[in-house]
Amino acid sequence: MRTHIKVVALVNLLYSALGILAALGALFGTVFGSLATLNPVAMVIGSVVGVVMGIVIGAISIFGLIAGLALLNHQNWARYVVLVVSAFRLFNWPWGTLFGGYSIWVLTHRETTELFAGAK
């Protein structure tokens, strides 16, 4: 199960790094795209939606990045954070669903919980 935990941590790091890039892309793309319309309503709504979307995606990714690093060091709190982040990622079809389900399976497995309980 140790190998599965390392895979979850490394893929979580990669997925979170890509998520930070996606958050920046969503933030700048929607803000500048809405400003380019020259429609005042579209500017405001598009900018607000872009900022909120960028913040949500960025926050989930930053939590995943920090927890992925801690999961490599077998920190028990990181297991819970990755479980929450993986639950959010289940909605991101197809890769988020695949990786989120795999992460939840690995981190809730009996052998994993025993491993983390002994690492305190």
Side-chain angles (χ1 to χ4, degrees), residues 3-114:
T3 305
H4 289 290
I5 294 170
K6 285 182 184 177
V7 168
V8 166
L10 292 174
V11 173
N12 198 49
L13 288 171
L14 177 65
Y15 203 81
S16 295
L18 291 174
I20 290 171
L21 291 175
L24 291 173
L27 179 68
F28 291 119
T30 55
V31 169
F32 290 128
S34 63
L35 292 177
T37 64
L38 299 177
N39 182 345
V41 175
M43 285 182 193
V44 172
I45 293 174
S47 296
V48 169
V49 167
V51 168
V52 169
M53 196 167 55
I55 288 172
V56 169
I57 294 170
I60 291 171
S61 297
I62 288 173
F63 282 127
L65 192 69
I66 293 169
L69 288 171
L71 196 62
L72 284 174
N73 296 323
H74 292 283
Q75 299 291 322
N76 196 30
W77 64 267
R79 188 170 66 90
Y80 297 113
V81 174
V82 171
L83 281 170
V84 171
V85 169
S86 295
F88 282 118
R89 288 187 176 152
L90 287 174
F91 298 106
N92 189 7
W93 178 261
W95 303 112
T97 305
L98 180 68
F99 174 63
Y102 174 69
S103 297
I104 291 171
W105 174 75
V106 168
L107 296 176
T108 58
H109 198 272
R110 181 187 52 80
E111 190 176 326
T112 304
T113 56
E114 290 172 359

